[in-house]
């Protein structure tokens, strides 16, 4: 993953934290496919395309409205990268806070 892609990764997480869906989508390939364990309890954890990103965004923030992502480390792996992230938030219904470190892998294609 080039330095440009590392910076794009940082911008994507910043866009999420600022709740700027348009900026997030601008950094996301229209054919994106991803899975998240946070939504696995609610059904299929796989999301595809920009519509999938919108659905994930809506679903996640409906349960964890203050969900935030802090980039702790980014590792370059050529055309892909791995990010160590600290995620935080509160459950909407329970109010119970959570904080944990997770790892995310991503592959960049054509700058997205």
């Amino acid at each position: 993953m080039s330095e440009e892609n590392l910076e794009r990764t940082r911008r994507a997480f910043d866009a999420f934290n600022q709740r700027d869906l348009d900026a997030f989508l601008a950094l996301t390939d229209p054919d994106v496919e991803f899975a998240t364990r946070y939504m696995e309890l609610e059904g299929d954890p796989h999301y595809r395309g920009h519509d999938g990103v919108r659905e994930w965004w809506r679903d996640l923030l409906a349960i964890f409205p203050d969900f935030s992502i802090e980039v702790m480390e980014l590792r370059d792996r050529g055309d892909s990268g791995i990010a160590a992230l600290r995620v935080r938030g509160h459950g909407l219904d329970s109010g119970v806070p959570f904080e944990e470190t997770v790892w995310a892998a991503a592959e960049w294609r054509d700058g997205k």
Side-chain angles (χ1 to χ4, degrees), residues 19-36:
R19 303 300 188 255
D20 188 343
L21 179 57
D22 291 334
F24 190 85
L25 289 173
L27 293 164
T28 307
D29 188 285
D31 295 323
V32 66
E33 184 174 332
F34 67 99
T36 173

Side-chain angles (χ1 to χ4, degrees), residues 23-85:
F24 190 85
L25 289 173
L27 293 164
T28 307
D29 188 285
D31 295 323
V32 66
E33 184 174 332
F34 67 99
T36 173
R37 71 183 184 91
Y38 289 103
M39 303 314 296
E40 193 168 3
L41 297 173
E42 296 295 316
D44 185 0
H46 296 90
Y47 295 87
R48 291 169 183 81
H50 282 187
D51 286 342
V53 171
R54 288 181 188 93
E55 179 182 0
W56 165 74
W57 191 288
R58 185 176 48 252
D59 292 349
L60 179 70
L61 296 177
I63 298 168
F64 307 112
D66 63 343
F67 193 93
S68 66
I69 303 168
E70 174 189 351
V71 177
M72 297 170 47
E73 179 181 354
L74 294 173
R75 294 185 184 179
D76 180 5
R77 297 288 184 245
D79 288 338
S80 62
I82 301 170
L85 308 169

